[in-house]
Amino acid sequence: MYKLNYYIPTMFLLLLLAGCKKEATLQPSNKDENYLVVKDNPSDPVEHAIYQFYHATGVPVFYNDTIAREQIGDNDGVPRYSYIKLATAYSPSGINTFLFFRLLSKKEKVLPMLPFLEDKVLPRINGALPVQSILLVDSIRLRGTSGSGTTTTVNKPYVGFNTVIIKAVRADTMSVLSQKSNAASVLAMLMLKKLHVEYSTRLNADFYNISVNSAPGMSVYVQPLSALSPDESLTLEDFGFIKRNPTNLSAVWTPYQQDDLIAYLEALFFYDTTAQFEAVYTAYPLVLQKFKVVKGLAKEIGFSFAD
Protein backbone atom coordinates (compact mmCIF):
# COMPACT_ATOMS: atom_id res chain seq x y z
CA MET A 1 0.00 0.00 0.00
CA TYR A 2 2.86 2.35 0.79
CA LYS A 3 4.51 1.76 -2.56
CA LEU A 4 1.26 2.41 -4.42
CA ASN A 5 0.79 5.78 -2.73
CA TYR A 6 4.40 6.73 -3.47
CA TYR A 7 4.28 5.99 -7.19
CA ILE A 8 0.92 7.57 -8.03
CA PRO A 9 2.12 11.23 -7.75
CA THR A 10 5.35 10.31 -9.56
CA MET A 11 3.46 8.77 -12.48
CA PHE A 12 1.10 11.74 -12.56
CA LEU A 13 4.04 14.15 -12.77
CA LEU A 14 5.61 12.19 -15.64
CA LEU A 15 2.33 12.19 -17.54
CA LEU A 16 1.92 15.91 -16.95
CA LEU A 17 5.42 16.64 -18.27
CA ALA A 18 4.81 14.44 -21.32
CA GLY A 19 1.61 16.32 -22.05
CA CYS A 20 3.47 19.64 -21.97
CA LYS A 21 5.74 18.68 -24.87
CA LYS A 22 5.26 20.90 -27.86
CA GLU A 23 2.86 19.47 -30.41
CA ALA A 24 1.73 20.89 -33.72
CA THR A 25 -1.56 22.74 -33.36
CA LEU A 26 -4.44 20.88 -35.02
CA GLN A 27 -5.99 22.87 -37.79
CA PRO A 28 -9.53 22.32 -38.99
CA SER A 29 -9.78 20.76 -42.43
CA ASN A 30 -11.74 22.79 -44.94
CA LYS A 31 -11.62 20.06 -47.56
CA ASP A 32 -14.96 18.94 -48.91
CA GLU A 33 -13.70 15.71 -50.43
CA ASN A 34 -15.85 12.88 -51.70
CA TYR A 35 -14.06 9.74 -50.54
CA LEU A 36 -16.35 7.54 -52.62
CA VAL A 37 -14.71 8.69 -55.84
CA VAL A 38 -12.48 5.98 -57.34
CA LYS A 39 -9.12 6.92 -58.82
CA ASP A 40 -7.35 4.85 -61.45
CA ASN A 41 -4.20 2.85 -60.83
CA PRO A 42 -3.22 1.30 -64.20
CA SER A 43 -0.30 -0.59 -62.64
CA ASP A 44 -2.63 -2.61 -60.38
CA PRO A 45 -5.03 -4.94 -62.29
CA VAL A 46 -7.59 -5.01 -59.47
CA GLU A 47 -7.58 -1.25 -58.88
CA HIS A 48 -7.75 -0.62 -62.62
CA ALA A 49 -10.72 -3.00 -63.02
CA ILE A 50 -12.51 -1.28 -60.13
CA TYR A 51 -11.92 2.09 -61.79
CA GLN A 52 -13.30 0.81 -65.11
CA PHE A 53 -16.38 -0.49 -63.29
CA TYR A 54 -16.80 2.87 -61.54
CA HIS A 55 -16.36 4.73 -64.83
CA ALA A 56 -19.07 2.56 -66.44
CA THR A 57 -21.60 2.49 -63.59
CA GLY A 58 -20.84 5.39 -61.28
CA VAL A 59 -20.76 2.99 -58.31
CA PRO A 60 -17.51 2.61 -56.33
CA VAL A 61 -16.52 -0.89 -55.21
CA PHE A 62 -14.26 -1.46 -52.19
CA TYR A 63 -12.54 -4.49 -50.66
CA ASN A 64 -11.59 -2.66 -47.45
CA ASP A 65 -13.91 -0.63 -45.23
CA THR A 66 -11.08 1.84 -44.56
CA ILE A 67 -11.08 3.93 -47.73
CA ALA A 68 -8.80 6.88 -46.92
CA ARG A 69 -6.63 8.51 -44.28
CA GLU A 70 -5.85 12.13 -43.47
CA GLN A 71 -2.94 13.54 -41.50
CA ILE A 72 -4.37 15.58 -38.66
CA GLY A 73 -1.12 16.62 -36.98
CA ASP A 74 2.12 15.23 -35.65
CA ASN A 75 3.68 14.41 -32.32
CA ASP A 76 7.44 15.12 -32.23
CA GLY A 77 7.63 14.59 -35.98
CA VAL A 78 5.53 11.42 -35.94
CA PRO A 79 2.46 11.92 -38.19
CA ARG A 80 -0.99 11.43 -36.70
CA TYR A 81 -3.77 10.22 -38.97
CA SER A 82 -7.53 10.09 -39.05
CA TYR A 83 -8.94 7.10 -40.93
CA ILE A 84 -12.02 7.38 -43.13
CA LYS A 85 -14.21 4.28 -43.00
CA LEU A 86 -17.39 3.24 -44.74
CA ALA A 87 -20.46 3.61 -42.52
CA THR A 88 -21.28 -0.08 -42.63
CA ALA A 89 -23.23 -0.44 -39.39
CA TYR A 90 -24.36 3.15 -38.86
CA SER A 91 -27.93 4.36 -39.27
CA PRO A 92 -29.70 7.53 -38.09
CA SER A 93 -31.24 5.46 -35.29
CA GLY A 94 -27.91 4.16 -33.99
CA ILE A 95 -25.15 1.63 -34.55
CA ASN A 96 -25.88 -2.00 -35.40
CA THR A 97 -23.60 -3.84 -32.99
CA PHE A 98 -24.72 -7.25 -34.26
CA LEU A 99 -23.17 -6.98 -37.72
CA PHE A 100 -19.97 -8.91 -38.34
CA PHE A 101 -18.07 -9.29 -41.60
CA ARG A 102 -14.70 -10.59 -42.71
CA LEU A 103 -12.76 -8.57 -45.27
CA LEU A 104 -11.51 -10.27 -48.42
CA SER A 105 -8.43 -12.40 -47.89
CA LYS A 106 -7.31 -11.53 -51.43
CA LYS A 107 -8.37 -8.43 -53.31
CA GLU A 108 -8.34 -10.46 -56.55
CA LYS A 109 -11.68 -11.92 -55.41
CA VAL A 110 -13.18 -8.63 -56.55
CA LEU A 111 -12.57 -9.38 -60.24
CA PRO A 112 -15.26 -12.03 -60.97
CA MET A 113 -17.82 -9.96 -59.05
CA LEU A 114 -17.53 -6.84 -61.20
CA PRO A 115 -19.16 -8.23 -64.40
CA PHE A 116 -21.84 -9.89 -62.27
CA LEU A 117 -22.72 -6.63 -60.54
CA GLU A 118 -22.60 -4.64 -63.76
CA ASP A 119 -24.68 -7.08 -65.79
CA LYS A 120 -27.04 -8.75 -63.31
CA VAL A 121 -27.63 -6.33 -60.44
CA LEU A 122 -27.27 -2.65 -61.30
CA PRO A 123 -29.35 -2.73 -64.52
CA ARG A 124 -32.33 -4.03 -62.53
CA ILE A 125 -32.10 -1.09 -60.12
CA ASN A 126 -31.99 1.45 -62.95
CA GLY A 127 -32.18 4.45 -60.64
CA ALA A 128 -34.99 3.07 -58.47
CA LEU A 129 -32.76 2.99 -55.39
CA PRO A 130 -29.48 4.79 -54.63
CA VAL A 131 -26.34 2.64 -54.37
CA GLN A 132 -23.60 4.86 -52.97
CA SER A 133 -20.95 2.14 -52.80
CA ILE A 134 -20.42 -1.62 -52.58
CA LEU A 135 -18.14 -3.39 -50.10
CA LEU A 136 -17.18 -6.94 -51.08
CA VAL A 137 -16.29 -9.28 -48.21
CA ASP A 138 -15.53 -12.93 -47.54
CA SER A 139 -18.41 -13.44 -45.12
CA ILE A 140 -21.26 -11.60 -43.38
CA ARG A 141 -23.15 -12.47 -40.22
CA LEU A 142 -26.03 -10.52 -38.72
CA ARG A 143 -27.73 -11.34 -35.44
CA GLY A 144 -31.00 -9.77 -34.43
CA THR A 145 -34.27 -10.25 -32.63
CA SER A 146 -37.61 -10.67 -34.25
CA GLY A 147 -40.85 -11.73 -32.69
CA SER A 148 -40.12 -14.08 -29.83
CA GLY A 149 -36.56 -15.13 -30.61
CA THR A 150 -33.13 -14.40 -31.99
CA THR A 151 -32.24 -14.82 -35.64
CA THR A 152 -28.89 -15.15 -37.35
CA THR A 153 -28.52 -14.32 -41.03
CA VAL A 154 -25.39 -15.59 -42.75
CA ASN A 155 -23.86 -14.32 -45.99
CA LYS A 156 -26.91 -12.34 -47.04
CA PRO A 157 -26.30 -8.80 -48.36
CA TYR A 158 -26.52 -6.02 -45.79
CA VAL A 159 -27.44 -2.43 -46.61
CA GLY A 160 -25.42 0.00 -44.51
CA PHE A 161 -25.65 3.77 -44.37
CA ASN A 162 -23.48 4.51 -47.40
CA THR A 163 -22.59 1.06 -48.68
CA VAL A 164 -24.05 -2.33 -49.55
CA ILE A 165 -22.04 -5.23 -48.10
CA ILE A 166 -22.02 -8.27 -50.38
CA LYS A 167 -20.29 -11.62 -50.02
CA ALA A 168 -17.91 -12.12 -52.93
CA VAL A 169 -18.56 -15.30 -54.92
CA ARG A 170 -17.06 -16.87 -58.03
CA ALA A 171 -19.85 -15.53 -60.18
CA ASP A 172 -17.98 -16.50 -63.34
CA THR A 173 -18.30 -20.21 -62.50
CA MET A 174 -21.92 -20.12 -61.28
CA SER A 175 -24.92 -21.45 -63.16
CA VAL A 176 -27.47 -19.06 -64.62
CA LEU A 177 -29.94 -19.93 -61.86
CA SER A 178 -27.34 -19.36 -59.14
CA GLN A 179 -26.47 -15.98 -60.61
CA LYS A 180 -30.16 -15.05 -60.68
CA SER A 181 -30.53 -16.19 -57.08
CA ASN A 182 -27.57 -14.12 -55.90
CA ALA A 183 -28.70 -11.05 -57.84
CA ALA A 184 -32.22 -11.43 -56.42
CA SER A 185 -30.80 -11.55 -52.91
CA VAL A 186 -28.95 -8.25 -53.37
CA LEU A 187 -31.94 -6.51 -54.94
CA ALA A 188 -34.25 -7.83 -52.24
CA MET A 189 -32.16 -6.40 -49.43
CA LEU A 190 -31.94 -3.02 -51.14
CA MET A 191 -35.70 -2.87 -51.52
CA LEU A 192 -36.23 -4.20 -47.98
CA LYS A 193 -34.54 -1.15 -46.45
CA LYS A 194 -36.64 1.18 -48.58
CA LEU A 195 -39.84 -0.59 -47.53
CA HIS A 196 -38.94 -0.55 -43.84
CA VAL A 197 -38.25 3.18 -43.89
CA GLU A 198 -41.13 4.44 -46.01
CA TYR A 199 -43.78 1.73 -46.32
CA SER A 200 -44.05 0.06 -42.90
CA THR A 201 -47.70 1.02 -42.36
CA ARG A 202 -48.75 -0.25 -45.76
CA LEU A 203 -46.78 -3.46 -45.31
CA ASN A 204 -48.72 -4.24 -42.14
CA ALA A 205 -52.07 -3.42 -43.70
CA ASP A 206 -51.62 -4.83 -47.21
CA PHE A 207 -49.00 -7.57 -46.94
CA TYR A 208 -48.61 -9.08 -43.47
CA ASN A 209 -52.33 -8.93 -42.74
CA ILE A 210 -53.06 -11.33 -45.59
CA SER A 211 -51.42 -14.10 -43.57
CA VAL A 212 -52.64 -12.72 -40.23
CA ASN A 213 -56.26 -12.80 -41.41
CA SER A 214 -55.89 -16.39 -42.63
CA ALA A 215 -56.09 -17.58 -39.01
CA PRO A 216 -58.31 -15.15 -37.07
CA GLY A 217 -57.52 -14.90 -33.39
CA MET A 218 -54.22 -16.71 -33.74
CA SER A 219 -50.61 -15.60 -34.04
CA VAL A 220 -49.39 -16.77 -37.45
CA TYR A 221 -45.72 -15.73 -37.35
CA VAL A 222 -43.03 -17.92 -35.75
CA GLN A 223 -45.53 -20.64 -34.94
CA PRO A 224 -45.49 -24.41 -35.46
CA LEU A 225 -47.66 -25.35 -38.41
CA SER A 226 -49.47 -27.82 -36.17
CA ALA A 227 -50.84 -24.90 -34.14
CA LEU A 228 -52.45 -23.42 -37.26
CA SER A 229 -53.53 -26.72 -38.79
CA PRO A 230 -53.93 -29.37 -36.06
CA ASP A 231 -55.25 -31.94 -38.52
CA GLU A 232 -52.22 -31.31 -40.81
CA SER A 233 -54.49 -30.68 -43.78
CA LEU A 234 -52.97 -27.27 -44.60
CA THR A 235 -49.49 -26.26 -45.72
CA LEU A 236 -47.49 -23.11 -45.06
CA GLU A 237 -48.44 -21.88 -48.54
CA ASP A 238 -52.11 -22.04 -47.52
CA PHE A 239 -51.31 -19.31 -45.01
CA GLY A 240 -49.39 -17.25 -47.57
CA PHE A 241 -45.81 -18.32 -46.81
CA ILE A 242 -43.30 -19.33 -49.49
CA LYS A 243 -39.78 -20.70 -49.57
CA ARG A 244 -36.99 -18.18 -49.28
CA ASN A 245 -34.66 -18.51 -52.24
CA PRO A 246 -32.38 -20.44 -51.99
CA THR A 247 -32.89 -21.33 -48.29
CA ASN A 248 -35.77 -23.72 -47.77
CA LEU A 249 -38.55 -22.67 -45.46
CA SER A 250 -38.98 -25.04 -42.55
CA ALA A 251 -41.86 -27.38 -43.24
CA VAL A 252 -43.11 -27.18 -39.66
CA TRP A 253 -42.67 -23.52 -38.59
CA THR A 254 -43.93 -20.24 -39.98
CA PRO A 255 -41.28 -17.55 -40.63
CA TYR A 256 -40.48 -14.28 -38.91
CA GLN A 257 -42.19 -11.31 -40.52
CA GLN A 258 -39.00 -9.98 -42.09
CA ASP A 259 -38.10 -13.38 -43.53
CA ASP A 260 -41.60 -13.62 -44.96
CA LEU A 261 -41.13 -10.31 -46.77
CA ILE A 262 -37.60 -11.14 -47.96
CA ALA A 263 -38.85 -14.41 -49.45
CA TYR A 264 -41.31 -12.49 -51.62
CA LEU A 265 -38.76 -9.84 -52.56
CA GLU A 266 -36.28 -12.49 -53.66
CA ALA A 267 -39.00 -14.23 -55.66
CA LEU A 268 -39.93 -10.92 -57.24
CA PHE A 269 -36.45 -10.51 -58.71
CA PHE A 270 -35.83 -14.21 -59.36
CA TYR A 271 -38.81 -14.95 -61.61
CA ASP A 272 -38.76 -13.26 -65.00
CA THR A 273 -42.54 -12.76 -65.14
CA THR A 274 -45.56 -12.90 -62.87
CA ALA A 275 -46.83 -15.84 -64.94
CA GLN A 276 -43.76 -17.89 -63.98
CA PHE A 277 -44.39 -17.24 -60.29
CA GLU A 278 -48.10 -17.96 -60.58
CA ALA A 279 -47.39 -21.26 -62.33
CA VAL A 280 -45.56 -22.44 -59.20
CA TYR A 281 -48.13 -21.19 -56.66
CA THR A 282 -51.36 -21.29 -58.69
CA ALA A 283 -53.11 -23.37 -56.00
CA TYR A 284 -52.44 -20.82 -53.25
CA PRO A 285 -54.50 -17.61 -53.57
CA LEU A 286 -52.97 -15.96 -50.50
CA VAL A 287 -49.49 -16.35 -51.98
CA LEU A 288 -50.65 -14.75 -55.22
CA GLN A 289 -52.20 -11.85 -53.29
CA LYS A 290 -49.01 -11.14 -51.34
CA PHE A 291 -46.88 -11.32 -54.48
CA LYS A 292 -49.18 -8.80 -56.18
CA VAL A 293 -48.77 -6.41 -53.24
CA VAL A 294 -44.97 -6.66 -53.30
CA LYS A 295 -44.79 -6.17 -57.05
CA GLY A 296 -47.05 -3.13 -56.83
CA LEU A 297 -44.80 -1.55 -54.21
CA ALA A 298 -41.72 -2.27 -56.31
CA LYS A 299 -43.23 -0.55 -59.32
CA GLU A 300 -44.22 2.39 -57.13
CA ILE A 301 -40.61 2.72 -55.95
CA GLY A 302 -39.40 2.75 -59.54
CA PHE A 303 -38.50 -0.82 -60.53
CA SER A 304 -39.60 -1.98 -63.96
CA PHE A 305 -40.57 -5.50 -64.98
CA ALA A 306 -41.30 -7.38 -68.19
CA ASP A 307 -45.00 -7.53 -67.34
Side-chain angles (χ1 to χ4, degrees):
M1 194 70 180
Y2 172 81
K3 288 184 179 181
L4 181 62
N5 289 334
Y6 175 82
Y7 283 116
I8 285 178
T10 304
M11 293 173 64
F12 178 80
L13 180 60
L14 291 173
L15 290 172
L16 181 62
L17 290 174
C20 291
K21 289 185 178 181
K22 186 176 182 181
E23 181 177 334
T25 303
L26 298 182
Q27 298 294 333
S29 174
N30 295 318
K31 290 196 304 182
D32 185 16
E33 184 172 350
N34 183 0
Y35 294 102
L36 299 181
V37 172
V38 174
K39 298 177 182 178
D40 194 10
N41 182 3
S43 63
D44 186 315
V46 175
E47 300 289 347
H48 183 58
I50 290 174
Y51 173 77
Q52 289 179 313
F53 177 89
Y54 174 74
H55 185 71
T57 66
V59 178
V61 170
F62 300 99
Y63 51 83
N64 195 326
D65 59 339
T66 300
I67 57 176
R69 71 175 186 175
E70 283 187 337
Q71 185 173 346
I72 58 174
D74 67 83
N75 188 0
D76 289 340
V78 179
R80 296 175 58 199
Y81 294 99
S82 171
Y83 294 89
I84 312 301
K85 299 175 72 73
L86 292 170
T88 52
Y90 171 79
S91 74
S93 59
I95 301 295
N96 189 338
T97 58
F98 299 106
L99 172 68
F100 307 90
F101 57 86
R102 186 182 299 277
L103 296 174
L104 292 182
S105 57
K106 296 180 180 179
K107 65 181 181 180
E108 287 75 14
K109 292 182 178 181
V110 168
L111 295 176
M113 285 294 292
L114 297 179
F116 166 73
L117 293 170
E118 185 172 357
D119 298 336
K120 305 297 183 182
V121 176
L122 295 181
R124 295 295 304 273
I125 297 173
N126 195 29
L129 297 172
V131 179
Q132 293 178 278
S133 68
I134 295 172
L135 173 64
L136 297 176
V137 298
D138 270 340
S139 62
I140 313 168
R141 183 165 60 91
L142 178 67
R143 290 192 295 113
T145 57
S146 179
S148 59
T150 300
T151 60
T152 300
T153 305
V154 180
N155 291 335
K156 286 291 183 179
Y158 178 84
V159 182
F161 183 69
N162 65 351
T163 194
V164 183
I165 309 174
I166 302 173
K167 173 181 167 56
V169 295
R170 284 297 307 270
D172 55 333
T173 63
M174 295 170 65
S175 67
V176 173
L177 287 180
S178 293
Q179 286 196 16
K180 288 180 64 177
S181 175
N182 273 270
S185 183
V186 175
L187 294 165
M189 298 311 293
L190 284 167
M191 186 171 166
L192 178 70
K193 185 170 185 178
K194 178 79 169 181
L195 291 175
H196 276 175
V197 172
E198 299 183 20
Y199 293 84
S200 59
T201 301
R202 288 177 58 183
L203 282 174
N204 285 325
D206 300 338
F207 178 80
Y208 295 125
N209 271 350
I210 292 176
S211 288
V212 170
N213 294 334
S214 68
M218 301 183 67
S219 176
V220 297
Y221 285 99
V222 200
Q223 297 295 322
L225 180 58
S226 59
L228 301 179
S229 178
D231 61 359
E232 300 182 353
S233 62
L234 300 177
T235 66
L236 291 172
E237 288 85 357
D238 287 309
F239 295 95
F241 302 120
I242 64 174
K243 293 179 174 63
R244 181 174 176 182
N245 185 32
T247 304
N248 288 334
L249 181 69
S250 169
V252 294
W253 280 83
T254 61
Y256 291 98
Q257 278 194 334
Q258 179 166 294
D259 288 335
D260 179 26
L261 178 57
I262 292 174
Y264 277 90
L265 294 176
E266 290 180 343
L268 176 64
F269 295 110
F270 181 81
Y271 291 95
D272 294 325
T273 64
T274 300
Q276 287 184 358
F277 180 85
E278 290 177 342
V280 177
Y281 295 102
T282 186
Y284 305 103
L286 298 187
V287 170
L288 302 184
Q289 289 179 42
K290 291 172 75 172
F291 187 79
K292 183 178 180 181
V293 170
V294 166
K295 194 158 193 174
L297 290 173
K299 289 181 176 180
E300 189 173 321
I301 289 172
F303 285 97
S304 58
F305 300 91
D307 59 340

